[in-house]
Amino acid sequence: MNIAPELRFELVNGLSEKDVKSNQYVIYAHLCSGGIYVGLTQDPIKRWQEHVSDSQNQDSHNYDDKFREAIRRCGHNKFKHFIGRK
């Protein structure tokens, strides 16, 4: 699966690019017509790629969860991506 290199995350809640780079972990969200998924990671791009990969791999223990089903149903390129802070 080829994930678009133009994947972009919108920064919310006053977060700057410097804030993202200086923190070990970030809160991220993926939004599509099917809902929103929120998580915590060190590398949001790599994590998104893992989610998409799991959604296509029937052997993954995450394959049947609602989020991976939404990725298959909506299409991985139909999501909006956010990084924020509480």
Side-chain angles (χ1 to χ4, degrees):
M1 159 130 321
N2 184 15
I3 300 173
E6 67 271 5
L7 178 68
R8 296 187 191 276
F9 283 79
E10 181 178 331
L11 304 180
V12 296
N13 296 338
L15 196 65
S16 71
E17 189 174 333
K18 181 180 176 184
D19 294 328
V20 172
K21 290 179 179 179
S22 67
N23 286 301
Q24 183 174 3
Y25 293 94
V26 296
I27 298 168
Y28 65 92
H30 303 296
L31 174 68
C32 75
S33 62
I36 188 166
Y37 175 85
V38 177
L40 181 72
T41 187
Q42 290 180 309
D43 186 340
I45 293 173
K46 179 181 175 188
R47 188 67 183 120
W48 172 247
Q49 292 170 338
E50 292 168 348
H51 291 314
V52 173
S53 178
D54 282 349
S55 76
Q56 302 302 315
N57 179 1
Q58 292 183 6
D59 293 329
S60 167
H61 67 280
N62 294 318
Y63 180 79
D64 286 328
D65 71 18
K66 291 183 181 198
F67 180 48
R68 280 33 167 238
E69 288 176 5
I71 293 171
R72 289 190 299 275
R73 185 177 61 254
C74 296
H76 70 86
N77 58 343
K78 300 293 184 186
F79 279 77
K80 292 183 180 179
H81 310 278
F82 304 90
I83 295 177
R85 62 179 168 199
K86 59 180 186 171

